[in-house]
Amino acid sequence: MLRVGVLVSGGGTNLQAILDAIDKGTVTNARVEAVISNNANAFALERAKKHGIAAECVSPRDFPDREAFHEALLSRVDSYHLDLLVLAGFLVKIPEAMIAGYRGRIINIHPSLIPSFCGVGYYGLKVHEAALARGVKVTGATVHFVDEGMDSGPIILQKAVEVKAGDTPEILQRRVMEEAEWKILPQAIHMIANNLLQE
Ligand code: GAR
């Protein structure tokens, strides 16, 4: 059984998609052991508690500097003895010590087709604003392994989503979530849990 930890900052719809997929049996051999947020008000924490999953906040505000925050985050993550860390809307740059300690065992969902609209400054709604401003006709989502760079690790899965006339960033964000993110993130976990990833 793959022990999964999910790191979140906000609403947690991707977390919910993972929990639902495990409950339905479309993701097998995986269990979410813990949900950790940098934001005490993240609704994702409520979703975890409702599911009976350990949920906690490690906020940078509670530490004197970034280094102390990073140490605390890593020590809380380590305490769950996790096999896989899933960044599901986690808007904190991952400390290098965590990347080194969990190399090849951290995955992230990004709401565009990488390498478009990714890297520094591209997160959440900003990604969809940029896609609409550029006038792309197709966008989508990407699940990738996390390395030291920003959205630069090896790609695991991508799914394209149509941009439609009249889309606002919010409408497009919702379509990308429904048609792509909520499918490929659980699917990637299933593949990792069942050794289905091809080198
Ligand atoms: C998702 O759209 C995710 O792809 C994005 O944040 C949102 C979180 O939503 N992540 C990034 O932009 C990372 N660069 P959720 O909390 O409802 O899952």
Side-chain angles (χ1 to χ4, degrees):
M1 191 66 72
L2 193 80
R3 295 174 62 86
V4 178
V6 184
L7 276 60
V8 295
S9 298
T13 65
N14 278 287
L15 166 68
Q16 193 66 55
I18 295 165
L19 297 176
D20 292 348
I22 291 174
D23 286 349
K24 270 190 292 178
T26 47
V27 170
T28 60
N29 287 326
R31 193 166 65 202
V32 177
E33 297 290 341
V35 173
I36 298 176
S37 175
N38 60 308
N39 168 14
N41 298 318
F43 186 64
L45 291 174
E46 302 309 313
R47 294 181 191 269
K49 285 179 201 155
K50 210 170 151 197
H51 229 84
I53 294 166
E56 59 177 284
C57 170
V58 184
S59 168
R61 292 176 189 191
D62 297 334
F63 299 92
D65 54 32
R66 212 67 191 164
E67 201 184 325
F69 165 62
H70 283 170
E71 267 177 33
L73 183 63
L74 185 54
S75 113
R76 292 311 303 140
V77 165
D78 283 346
S79 75
Y80 291 101
H81 306 288
L82 302 167
D83 302 309
L84 181 71
L85 299 185
V86 177
L87 312 185
F90 188 57
L91 303 180
V92 168
K93 190 165 170 17
I94 298 300
E96 298 223 338
M98 190 179 289
I99 295 171
Y102 290 82
R103 193 165 299 283
R105 294 190 290 142
I106 311 178
I107 64 172
N108 178 48
I109 178 85
H110 184 77
S112 74
L113 293 174
I114 288 174
S116 291
F117 312 116
C118 66
V120 177
Y122 287 101
Y123 58 88
L125 213 50
K126 289 181 193 294
V127 177
H128 306 291
E129 285 167 1
L132 289 176
R134 184 61 185 86
V136 294
K137 303 299 178 201
V138 173
T139 184
T142 303
V143 182
H144 63 93
F145 285 110
V146 173
D147 65 11
E148 278 77 1
M150 201 68 171
D151 301 325
S152 57
I155 290 171
I156 302 168
L157 289 172
Q158 291 189 299
K159 192 163 191 295
V161 173
E162 192 187 346
V163 179
K164 295 186 180 169
D167 273 354
T168 62
E170 291 80 6
I171 290 171
L172 184 57
Q173 178 181 51
R174 183 75 190 180
R175 189 180 310 117
V176 169
M177 284 177 158
E178 282 177 1
E179 294 184 10
E181 295 185 44
W182 300 343
K183 295 183 176 166
I184 62 174
L185 186 55
Q187 193 185 341
I189 295 169
H190 177 75
M191 290 170 80
I192 292 167
N194 291 280
N195 270 318
L196 300 174
L197 276 195
Q198 267 148 29
E199 294 300 315

